Amino acid sequence: MIGAMVRARSLVVLLGAGVHGCAREPFRCTTPLPQGEPLARLNEPLRLDFSATVDPASVAAGSVRALRRGDGAELPGRWRCDGVTLTFVPAAPTRVDLADAAFAPGSDVQVEVVGLPRMVALRALTGEALASGFTLRRPVAARSGDWRLAPAAELFCDPRPGPPELVTRTARFAAGRIELCFSEPLDPRTLAAARFRLHGPWSRESHPADNPDMAATLVANGEAAVVALELRPGSALPMPVDAATPLELRFEPKDALRDLGGAALAQNGGPFYPYIPVAVGDD
């Protein structure tokens, strides 16, 4: 009887030692947190790794924020949760002057991660909260000099190495508007050098100014790029058009638009052909 009790106590001690030896590692950030350098590029994702799978629900509840230092404004972009990795993907700029970039040239950004004792602390999927919060500060590229002249590689990360392509094979002209879709995001600054003219039955080689000039706006610049073209104020078609009217969009110079890596447009792996067929109507 006594021997059985001794064996039972020994088993309890061994089990206790096993549980203690397998104690869960505290939920924590495992990424070294640089303060200051290196400079972040305008569309550079900011990645944080943790010791356990992150609960996406805690991210959605506001446990992490990307802010502009100075006024504390929340930056446009999205948080992507993938296992133990949490990434802030900033919104790429669409304006020629880059004024709508999440990471504005020469600015400072601040990432705040909330920990205990706050109720909105970042949590692991197991429910364990981050023991303490932290702040990551990063300066943004082009802190000196003229960013308008900076090479694309200094300002941007190129998400798709290689030249971009025009996805739109036949453009659609409706209500004075055309949209062109490209295979990847574009450097908005290059839109200033691009010119689009609408060619039709009225077009003559000796009078290129007869072709209506269209103003270009980059309306989307995420996984792909979308450029919207509209007749400039005061510009009108030389004649009425309908579904039977042959139209082409002339893009000049053909190497004006470039991607975030500085590569010019290509077409099926070869040089870009600057005439785009245009159909009239919504269908």
Side-chain angles (χ1 to χ4, degrees):
M1 181 70 176
I2 294 175
M5 293 176 63
V6 169
R7 286 194 297 273
R9 289 195 189 98
S10 300
L11 181 60
V12 169
V13 170
L14 288 172
L15 288 173
V19 170
H20 179 75
C22 296
R24 184 188 302 158
E25 179 187 8
F27 182 50
R28 62 186 180 85
C29 180
T30 59
T31 301
L33 304 178
Q35 298 294 333
E37 300 294 340
L39 298 179
R41 284 173 283 185
L42 271 61
N43 65 323
E44 181 178 349
L46 299 184
R47 171 176 168 163
L48 296 172
D49 291 323
F50 293 85
S51 58
T53 300
V54 177
D55 182 0
S58 70
V59 176
S63 60
V64 290
R65 297 193 303 163
L67 309 172
R68 184 170 59 223
R69 290 191 68 194
D71 61 6
E74 197 148 357
L75 298 174
R78 60 187 175 90
W79 286 99
R80 187 174 63 216
C81 193
D82 184 17
V84 300
T85 301
L86 191 58
T87 306
F88 179 69
V89 182
T94 60
R95 289 178 47 171
V96 173
D97 61 3
L98 307 182
D100 62 337
F103 295 171
S107 67
D108 288 287
V109 300
Q110 180 169 302
V111 173
E112 294 182 354
V113 183
V114 179
L116 292 175
R118 294 177 59 183
M119 294 297 294
V120 294
L122 184 69
R123 295 182 180 275
L125 204 56
T126 57
E128 184 179 2
L130 194 67
S132 60
F134 59 87
T135 298
L136 168 65
R137 297 183 179 89
R138 291 283 298 275
V140 181
R143 300 184 67 81
S144 61
D146 189 348
W147 54 263
R148 296 171 185 82
L149 304 177
E154 285 185 15
L155 292 181
F156 303 108
C157 300
D158 187 6
R160 296 186 187 178
E165 296 217 8
L166 177 65
V167 176
T168 303
R169 298 307 181 198
T170 299
R172 187 73 55 181
F173 181 74
R177 180 183 174 97
I178 291 174
E179 285 194 354
L180 302 176
C181 184
F182 297 84
S183 61
E184 60 178 288
L186 301 175
D187 182 345
R189 301 174 302 168
T190 63
L191 211 62
R195 192 162 193 176
F196 300 87
R197 289 187 180 275
L198 194 59
H199 288 223
W202 58 81
S203 299
R204 294 177 294 172
E205 287 287 340
S206 57
H207 291 79
D210 291 345
N211 300 303
D213 198 8
M214 305 194 78
T217 305
L218 189 57
V219 295
N221 208 27
E223 294 295 324
V226 177
V227 173
L229 306 172
E230 294 184 297
L231 292 172
R232 292 186 184 276
S235 182
L237 297 179
M239 58 179 284
V241 298
D242 57 28
T245 308
L247 297 177
E248 282 187 320
L249 185 68
R250 170 71 176 180
F251 181 1
E252 53 191 18
K254 66 179 184 179
D255 62 347
L257 289 187
R258 294 178 177 267
D259 69 5
L260 298 180
L265 286 175
Q267 191 167 357
N268 298 323
F272 176 66
Y273 183 66
Y275 281 97
I276 305 163
V278 176
V280 178
D282 295 321
D283 296 333

